[in-house]
PDB file of all heavy atoms in Angstrom:
ATOM      1  N   ARG F  69      15.990 -11.293  -2.117  1.00 95.00           N
ATOM      2  CA  ARG F  69      15.480 -11.331  -3.485  1.00 95.00           C
ATOM      3  C   ARG F  69      16.616 -11.809  -4.391  1.00 95.00           C
ATOM      4  O   ARG F  69      17.230 -11.032  -5.119  1.00 95.00           O
ATOM      5  CB  ARG F  69      14.966  -9.974  -3.948  1.00 95.00           C
ATOM      6  CG  ARG F  69      14.181 -10.069  -5.252  1.00 95.00           C
ATOM      7  CD  ARG F  69      13.740  -8.729  -5.754  1.00 95.00           C
ATOM      8  NE  ARG F  69      12.942  -8.884  -6.967  1.00 95.00           N
ATOM      9  CZ  ARG F  69      12.695  -7.895  -7.814  1.00 95.00           C
ATOM     10  NH1 ARG F  69      13.161  -6.671  -7.590  1.00 95.00           N
ATOM     11  NH2 ARG F  69      11.946  -8.135  -8.885  1.00 95.00           N
ATOM     12  N   PRO F  70      16.872 -13.123  -4.334  1.00 90.00           N
ATOM     13  CA  PRO F  70      17.983 -13.659  -5.115  1.00 90.00           C
ATOM     14  C   PRO F  70      17.739 -13.501  -6.610  1.00 90.00           C
ATOM     15  O   PRO F  70      16.626 -13.731  -7.092  1.00 90.00           O
ATOM     16  CB  PRO F  70      18.008 -15.142  -4.709  1.00 90.00           C
ATOM     17  CG  PRO F  70      16.639 -15.420  -4.192  1.00 90.00           C
ATOM     18  CD  PRO F  70      16.137 -14.158  -3.604  1.00 90.00           C
ATOM     19  N   LYS F  71      18.736 -13.053  -7.316  1.00 85.00           N
ATOM     20  CA  LYS F  71      18.684 -12.908  -8.769  1.00 85.00           C
ATOM     21  C   LYS F  71      17.629 -11.905  -9.224  1.00 85.00           C
ATOM     22  O   LYS F  71      17.236 -11.892 -10.389  1.00 85.00           O
ATOM     23  CB  LYS F  71      18.439 -14.258  -9.450  1.00 85.00           C
ATOM     24  CG  LYS F  71      19.499 -15.289  -9.133  1.00 85.00           C
ATOM     25  CD  LYS F  71      19.207 -16.620  -9.816  1.00 85.00           C
ATOM     26  CE  LYS F  71      20.256 -17.656  -9.429  1.00 85.00           C
ATOM     27  NZ  LYS F  71      19.967 -18.973 -10.039  1.00 85.00           N
ATOM     28  N   GLY F  72      17.140 -11.102  -8.326  1.00 84.00           N
ATOM     29  CA  GLY F  72      16.193 -10.066  -8.704  1.00 84.00           C
ATOM     30  C   GLY F  72      14.855 -10.569  -9.181  1.00 84.00           C
ATOM     31  O   GLY F  72      14.136  -9.845  -9.883  1.00 84.00           O
ATOM     32  N   SER F  73      14.500 -11.810  -8.800  1.00 90.00           N
ATOM     33  CA  SER F  73      13.212 -12.333  -9.262  1.00 90.00           C
ATOM     34  C   SER F  73      12.246 -12.381  -8.086  1.00 90.00           C
ATOM     35  O   SER F  73      11.822 -11.346  -7.586  1.00 90.00           O
ATOM     36  CB  SER F  73      13.406 -13.709  -9.896  1.00 90.00           C
ATOM     37  OG  SER F  73      14.060 -14.583  -8.979  1.00 90.00           O
ATOM     38  N   PHE F  74      11.921 -13.563  -7.582  1.00 96.00           N
ATOM     39  CA  PHE F  74      11.012 -13.677  -6.456  1.00 96.00           C
ATOM     40  C   PHE F  74      11.707 -13.185  -5.182  1.00 96.00           C
ATOM     41  O   PHE F  74      12.939 -13.021  -5.135  1.00 96.00           O
ATOM     42  CB  PHE F  74      10.532 -15.125  -6.305  1.00 96.00           C
ATOM     43  CG  PHE F  74      11.608 -16.067  -5.826  1.00 96.00           C
ATOM     44  CD1 PHE F  74      11.790 -16.326  -4.472  1.00 96.00           C
ATOM     45  CD2 PHE F  74      12.449 -16.689  -6.735  1.00 96.00           C
ATOM     46  CE1 PHE F  74      12.785 -17.188  -4.026  1.00 96.00           C
ATOM     47  CE2 PHE F  74      13.439 -17.556  -6.308  1.00 96.00           C
ATOM     48  CZ  PHE F  74      13.627 -17.794  -4.944  1.00 96.00           C
ATOM     49  N   SER F  75      10.911 -12.977  -4.149  1.00 97.00           N
ATOM     50  CA  SER F  75      11.461 -12.553  -2.865  1.00 97.00           C
ATOM     51  C   SER F  75      10.884 -13.419  -1.757  1.00 97.00           C
ATOM     52  O   SER F  75       9.772 -13.950  -1.874  1.00 97.00           O
ATOM     53  CB  SER F  75      11.121 -11.085  -2.600  1.00 97.00           C
ATOM     54  OG  SER F  75      11.556 -10.676  -1.320  1.00 97.00           O
ATOM     55  N   THR F  76      11.650 -13.575  -0.693  1.00 97.00           N
ATOM     56  CA  THR F  76      11.157 -14.262   0.495  1.00 97.00           C
ATOM     57  C   THR F  76      11.293 -13.336   1.697  1.00 97.00           C
ATOM     58  O   THR F  76      12.228 -12.540   1.787  1.00 97.00           O
ATOM     59  CB  THR F  76      11.923 -15.564   0.764  1.00 97.00           C
ATOM     60  OG1 THR F  76      13.311 -15.261   0.909  1.00 97.00           O
ATOM     61  CG2 THR F  76      11.725 -16.565  -0.367  1.00 97.00           C
ATOM     62  N   LEU F  77      10.342 -13.467   2.593  1.00 97.00           N
ATOM     63  CA  LEU F  77      10.364 -12.752   3.869  1.00 97.00           C
ATOM     64  C   LEU F  77      10.297 -13.801   4.967  1.00 97.00           C
ATOM     65  O   LEU F  77       9.352 -14.590   5.019  1.00 97.00           O
ATOM     66  CB  LEU F  77       9.178 -11.796   3.978  1.00 97.00           C
ATOM     67  CG  LEU F  77       9.049 -11.013   5.297  1.00 97.00           C
ATOM     68  CD1 LEU F  77      10.194 -10.001   5.425  1.00 97.00           C
ATOM     69  CD2 LEU F  77       7.710 -10.279   5.370  1.00 97.00           C
ATOM     70  N   GLU F  78      11.309 -13.841   5.809  1.00 97.00           N
ATOM     71  CA  GLU F  78      11.356 -14.826   6.886  1.00 97.00           C
ATOM     72  C   GLU F  78      11.212 -14.119   8.223  1.00 97.00           C
ATOM     73  O   GLU F  78      11.823 -13.065   8.442  1.00 97.00           O
ATOM     74  CB  GLU F  78      12.661 -15.620   6.864  1.00 97.00           C
ATOM     75  CG  GLU F  78      12.728 -16.668   7.974  1.00 97.00           C
ATOM     76  CD  GLU F  78      14.052 -17.414   8.018  1.00 97.00           C
ATOM     77  OE1 GLU F  78      15.042 -16.927   7.441  1.00 97.00           O
ATOM     78  OE2 GLU F  78      14.089 -18.492   8.653  1.00 97.00           O
ATOM     79  N   ILE F  79      10.411 -14.695   9.079  1.00 97.00           N
ATOM     80  CA  ILE F  79      10.288 -14.221  10.458  1.00 97.00           C
ATOM     81  C   ILE F  79      10.737 -15.346  11.365  1.00 97.00           C
ATOM     82  O   ILE F  79      10.174 -16.447  11.332  1.00 97.00           O
ATOM     83  CB  ILE F  79       8.851 -13.811  10.814  1.00 97.00           C
ATOM     84  CG1 ILE F  79       8.279 -12.850   9.774  1.00 97.00           C
ATOM     85  CG2 ILE F  79       8.824 -13.168  12.205  1.00 97.00           C
ATOM     86  CD1 ILE F  79       6.810 -12.510   9.994  1.00 97.00           C
ATOM     87  N   GLN F  80      11.739 -15.090  12.158  1.00 97.00           N
ATOM     88  CA  GLN F  80      12.237 -16.089  13.101  1.00 97.00           C
ATOM     89  C   GLN F  80      11.610 -15.852  14.472  1.00 97.00           C
ATOM     90  O   GLN F  80      11.299 -14.717  14.847  1.00 97.00           O
ATOM     91  CB  GLN F  80      13.762 -16.001  13.192  1.00 97.00           C
ATOM     92  CG  GLN F  80      14.458 -16.339  11.886  1.00 97.00           C
ATOM     93  CD  GLN F  80      15.969 -16.290  12.017  1.00 97.00           C
ATOM     94  OE1 GLN F  80      16.516 -15.499  12.766  1.00 97.00           O
ATOM     95  NE2 GLN F  80      16.653 -17.163  11.286  1.00 97.00           N
ATOM     96  N   ARG F  81      11.444 -16.945  15.199  1.00 97.00           N
ATOM     97  CA  ARG F  81      10.939 -16.881  16.588  1.00 97.00           C
ATOM     98  C   ARG F  81       9.702 -15.980  16.658  1.00 97.00           C
ATOM     99  O   ARG F  81       9.682 -14.965  17.353  1.00 97.00           O
ATOM    100  CB  ARG F  81      12.035 -16.374  17.528  1.00 97.00           C
ATOM    101  CG  ARG F  81      13.317 -17.183  17.464  1.00 97.00           C
ATOM    102  CD  ARG F  81      14.383 -16.650  18.423  1.00 97.00           C
ATOM    103  NE  ARG F  81      14.702 -15.245  18.217  1.00 97.00           N
ATOM    104  CZ  ARG F  81      15.498 -14.797  17.276  1.00 97.00           C
ATOM    105  NH1 ARG F  81      16.046 -15.637  16.400  1.00 97.00           N
ATOM    106  NH2 ARG F  81      15.738 -13.502  17.166  1.00 97.00           N
ATOM    107  N   THR F  82       8.686 -16.370  15.933  1.00 97.00           N
ATOM    108  CA  THR F  82       7.487 -15.533  15.817  1.00 97.00           C
ATOM    109  C   THR F  82       6.886 -15.208  17.180  1.00 97.00           C
ATOM    110  O   THR F  82       6.944 -15.999  18.128  1.00 97.00           O
ATOM    111  CB  THR F  82       6.425 -16.200  14.945  1.00 97.00           C
ATOM    112  OG1 THR F  82       6.186 -17.531  15.417  1.00 97.00           O
ATOM    113  CG2 THR F  82       6.843 -16.225  13.495  1.00 97.00           C
ATOM    114  N   GLU F  83       6.303 -14.017  17.239  1.00 96.00           N
ATOM    115  CA  GLU F  83       5.621 -13.530  18.436  1.00 96.00           C
ATOM    116  C   GLU F  83       4.175 -13.199  18.058  1.00 96.00           C
ATOM    117  O   GLU F  83       3.869 -12.989  16.893  1.00 96.00           O
ATOM    118  CB  GLU F  83       6.321 -12.270  18.961  1.00 96.00           C
ATOM    119  CG  GLU F  83       7.778 -12.484  19.294  1.00 96.00           C
ATOM    120  CD  GLU F  83       8.501 -11.180  19.617  1.00 96.00           C
ATOM    121  OE1 GLU F  83       7.875 -10.099  19.495  1.00 96.00           O
ATOM    122  OE2 GLU F  83       9.702 -11.239  19.985  1.00 96.00           O
TER     123      GLU F  83
END
Side-chain angles (χ1 to χ4, degrees):
Chain F
R69 192 183 183 197
K71 301 179 183 178
S73 55
F74 70 92
S75 176
T76 58
L77 178 68
E78 181 183 18
I79 309 174
Q80 296 182 327
R81 305 180 304 280
T82 52
E83 302 172 355

